[in-house]
Amino acid sequence: MPWNAVVRGALAAGPLLLAAVLAGRESVGVMAALGAMLAGINDRPGSRRTAVHRIGVPGLAGAAGLVVGTYAGEGLGAVPLTLILTALGLLAGAVSAVGPVSSGAGTQLLVAAAIGAGMPLPEPGWQRALFFLAGAAWLIALRLALPTPGALAHDFRFDGERVAVADVYDAIAELLAAAGGEQAGARRAALTAALDHAQDALAGPRLRRYASSSAERRLRAQYAAALPLAEAATALAWAGDALPARTAEGPRRLAVAVRTGEPCGPLPAPARSVPGLRALDDALLHAAETFDRGGKQTGNKQTGRKQTGGGKPGSRQEIDGKKAGDEHGAALHSDADAALHSDADAALHSGAGTNPLDRGARQTAHKGLRLRPFRTKALLRTVTGPGGREYGFRVALCYGASAAVAQALHHVHWYWLPATAVFLVKPDLGPLVSRVLNRAAGTVLGALVFAGFAAVLPRPEGLIALVAISGALIPVATRHFAAQTAVVTVLVLALVMVGGEPEASWSRIGETLLACAIVLIVGHLPAPGQRGGNVRARLDAATDAAHAYLTHVLSGADDRAARWALRREAYRKLAEARAAIDRAAAELPTLARHTEGTDEVAATLERLVDTTTACAVHLDDTGRLTPRHTERLATLLDELVEQRERAGLADPPADLLSA
């Protein structure tokens, strides 16, 4: 149960509406509460810094939509207004193909535009937008100010970051434990998800480019230390041999150390019998030294390292009476003074006296994982490419048609129909028919619940309490689309009744069912161009990322930071493609047939990236590839060409095939 999000939801829309009612500005309170409600839908688990971006960008888009919708609704007739909204739907739909935050921004843009044009309020457009934005900003302030459970015991500044990094080490341990078994593939996918989540948690917006506190430097160093461990674990899983149980014990102890802030203690050293195990052993030693230093990166490997006897750091020493070589030394936090941070910067730029693993981890911890820049041309290609065009066309047609029908049925308060269509037409919320059925069921349930409460609750205080309770339930209801729809329906109906609109539960049910019919019809209409554009675009992006990673590994470059960044991008793009393919496969056969064969392409790309990782680890150890590696690469590249041809995809890059 996300109690911290529940508390934020209870303190968001309800108190804003109460303050406005007490001030005699109910319509202002409605706008602010709407902004807080839509922000609450985007208030997902994660760190504070990612929440600013995830909530703030859609909030800005919603404010812009209110301005456009309000002034267009006041100055234009039904036909030109419908054309304006349709064009807005085309733009918002195409931009939604970029990613989750852009999708949320497109949704709020269209919903707010429909509310601005179809909900008569006394305030001008700029004031509506200002108060809407204030509601979103209020939730962001709550997100930044309120502590999360357990945060005060360690560091108030961190809430999701520490847990995210610890989950990475746990996922590494699970992958090592599953090596050689049927669950290895699923564990590798879980590791990818954990790394993506931790990377996002640590890479959110900040006032300074680099980490400004020792606690943040330590956490980023611990994340960077997990990357070679993840690489070695992936290579060992690729080999397909079962590993001793003690192999996974080291990452598990590191996960506990991240969560508690305590020393990790002795780390069992795996037998250095194959390249993957040697890479894992080296990565464990590096992680232990990183935890010893407490995030203070230096060129001296002995800093903060507790030694047993006279051996060098990392040598097999006798620990607790056990045979020498059984375990690495206990990790302790360094008590070196703050001057080490300036030494770390100098060592980072010089790179002297360090091996590639240490240097790559230092660069990653200092600068973060630098993916290939998302330039304006790449953004435009995504928006105007097949995925953006298909998405934009569907959203524009559904949004424009629902706005036209709504205006024909109502002279005022016609926003519900197009706003409902926006949520229904979004493919990133699940398959089309599933979305429609869940939306219909949720709206009926929410309207019935509100009708019962409206008949007995005092006004307006009872309705304000209902808004606060609904806001608290949103973080829980987001786990299921029907439940989320039911809660949001209750909240919105209570808001508009406080704002002066008569009780409209039954008409909302009818309009929702009409929107469902419109989206079902439009969603299955023949479309210009090839269907499945979003899936194909994401597969092409995953192929390009796999190509860049493979090219870097085979080039023999010794830049570990760049290699880890390319590896992370390849797995992230593959995860995005896989999610799009799974959603498309769950559609009705009319739509699902357009993406047949794409799941085989994604599976081959995943095996190709896994093999590339195994090649990287083997090249680090021996400097050359075995026939098994080269034959596997050649086989996968041949399969990739055949499968892309069967799926109707373009040929992969020529230099990828010649690699």
Side-chain angles (χ1 to χ4, degrees):
M1 177 66 69
W3 290 113
N4 49 342
V6 170
V7 171
R8 290 194 299 271
L11 296 177
L16 292 176
L17 184 62
L18 176 61
V21 169
L22 293 177
R25 300 287 302 276
E26 291 82 358
S27 58
V28 167
V30 169
M31 280 293 103
L34 280 174
M37 179 204 75
L38 291 173
I41 294 176
N42 293 316
D43 185 14
R44 299 303 178 92
S47 64
R48 290 188 180 92
R49 59 183 50 163
T50 55
V52 173
H53 186 241
R54 188 186 301 118
I55 298 173
V57 172
L60 290 171
L66 269 176
V67 172
V68 173
T70 300
Y71 289 115
E74 292 174 351
L76 299 175
V79 174
L81 175 59
T82 301
L83 293 176
I84 290 292
L85 294 179
T86 302
L88 203 62
L90 181 64
L91 173 64
V95 170
S96 296
V98 173
V101 175
S102 298
S103 179
T107 300
Q108 288 206 27
L109 174 70
L110 297 182
V111 170
I115 292 174
M119 180 186 288
L121 292 174
E123 288 78 21
W126 68 270
Q127 285 190 15
R128 297 187 193 184
L130 186 63
F131 288 111
F132 178 92
L133 199 58
W138 170 243
L139 186 65
I140 292 177
L142 292 174
R143 184 72 179 87
L144 296 176
L146 295 180
T148 54
L152 296 179
H154 301 291
D155 193 326
F156 172 78
R157 291 165 293 182
F158 299 123
D159 51 349
E161 295 95 329
R162 193 182 299 279
V163 173
V165 174
D167 288 344
V168 170
Y169 284 99
D170 278 333
I172 293 170
E174 293 297 328
L175 177 57
L176 291 171
E182 297 180 355
Q183 295 297 317
R187 295 303 182 187
R188 204 276 304 149
L191 174 58
T192 293
L195 284 164
D196 288 344
H197 182 60
Q199 180 181 343
D200 292 340
L202 293 173
R206 57 168 59 87
L207 295 180
R208 296 183 59 178
R209 181 181 178 186
Y210 300 120
S212 57
S213 68
S214 60
E216 185 173 354
R217 287 195 297 273
R218 181 182 305 117
L219 198 58
R220 294 182 69 177
Q222 290 169 347
Y223 173 77
L227 297 177
L229 278 171
E231 188 174 57
T234 301
L236 289 167
W238 177 87
D241 297 325
L243 301 172
R246 62 178 283 137
T247 308
E249 186 60 28
R252 286 198 178 97
R253 295 186 188 181
L254 292 171
V256 174
V258 174
R259 287 192 175 92
T260 62
E262 300 295 328
C264 61
L267 299 180
R272 297 174 62 91
S273 55
V274 295
L277 287 173
R278 287 192 286 272
L280 181 67
D281 191 24
D282 292 340
L284 278 172
L285 175 59
H286 170 74
E289 291 173 344
T290 299
F291 279 61
D292 282 351
R293 288 192 295 258
K296 297 178 176 65
Q297 303 290 330
T298 73
N300 182 3
K301 293 177 64 177
Q302 299 188 29
T303 301
R305 176 71 171 168
K306 181 180 179 181
Q307 300 184 41
T308 54
K312 65 180 181 179
S315 63
R316 301 298 195 276
Q317 301 293 340
E318 186 171 329
I319 300 174
D320 296 331
K322 295 183 180 180
K323 183 179 178 181
D326 276 354
E327 304 196 1
H328 290 310
L332 298 176
H333 289 295
S334 171
D335 57 357
D337 57 32
L340 286 174
H341 184 51
S342 60
D343 295 339
D345 291 338
L348 174 68
H349 295 295
S350 68
T354 60
N355 61 39
L357 191 152
D358 292 330
R359 185 167 61 251
R362 251 199 338 270
Q363 291 173 346
T364 300
H366 190 63
K367 298 182 179 180
L369 280 168
R370 297 294 182 187
L371 301 179
R372 289 180 293 175
F374 200 61
R375 303 186 187 278
T376 303
K377 289 184 178 180
L379 176 64
L380 291 176
R381 281 198 302 269
T382 303
V383 172
T384 60
R389 292 197 304 268
E390 180 184 358
Y391 198 175
F393 173 77
R394 294 289 171 184
V395 172
L397 199 54
C398 290
Y399 190 59
S402 59
V405 172
Q407 291 177 84
L409 295 177
H410 300 279
H411 294 293
V412 293
H413 305 298
W414 54 265
Y415 57 88
W416 188 273
L417 189 57
T420 299
V422 170
F423 286 105
L424 289 174
V425 79
K426 288 178 62 60
D428 51 344
L429 294 179
L432 176 59
V433 174
S434 174
R435 296 196 306 271
V436 168
L437 293 176
N438 279 279
R439 181 75 183 188
T443 301
V444 171
L445 177 61
L448 291 176
V449 169
F450 176 77
F453 279 118
V456 298
L457 289 177
R459 302 179 187 178
E461 55 270 19
L463 296 177
I464 295 174
L466 192 58
V467 168
I469 294 173
S470 299
L473 291 176
I474 284 179
V476 182
T478 51
R479 299 172 182 177
H480 196 282
F481 192 43
Q484 176 183 311
T485 299
V487 172
V488 170
T489 298
V490 172
L491 195 154
V492 172
L493 289 176
L495 277 179
V496 296
M497 183 173 285
V498 172
E501 183 177 341
E503 200 275 325
S505 296
W506 308 114
S507 65
R508 297 309 183 216
I509 293 176
E511 291 170 8
T512 297
L513 296 179
L514 183 56
C516 291
I518 291 174
V519 172
L520 275 177
I521 294 172
V522 172
H524 290 86
L525 285 176
Q530 191 176 28
R531 293 296 295 268
N534 184 50
V535 170
R536 299 171 192 278
R538 294 199 180 278
L539 267 181
D540 287 340
T543 302
D544 291 341
H547 167 221
Y549 179 42
L550 178 60
T551 301
H552 180 87
V553 169
L554 296 185
S555 69
D558 210 15
D559 187 348
R560 298 292 178 89
R563 188 174 88 192
W564 296 336
L566 291 171
R567 176 178 176 271
R568 289 273 56 256
E569 183 180 20
Y571 277 120
R572 180 185 285 270
K573 295 297 184 184
L574 272 170
E576 293 173 355
R578 176 64 76 180
I581 291 169
D582 290 343
R583 285 193 297 267
E587 300 280 6
L588 292 180
T590 306
L591 300 180
R593 63 184 177 86
H594 296 289
T595 58
E596 289 179 354
T598 53
D599 56 337
E600 297 177 358
V601 178
T604 300
L605 280 172
E606 288 172 348
R607 292 194 295 270
L608 178 62
V609 176
D610 288 345
T611 305
T612 304
T613 301
C615 290
V617 171
H618 199 85
L619 284 170
D620 290 342
D621 187 71
T622 66
R624 62 182 182 275
L625 297 179
T626 66
R628 180 188 180 190
H629 291 94
T630 55
E631 291 172 4
R632 187 61 176 158
L633 284 176
T635 300
L636 289 172
L637 291 173
D638 290 341
E639 290 179 2
L640 183 62
V641 173
E642 296 174 1
Q643 291 167 354
R644 287 181 66 92
E645 183 178 355
R646 286 199 299 267
L649 299 171
D651 292 336
D655 48 349
L656 173 61
L657 301 180
S658 63

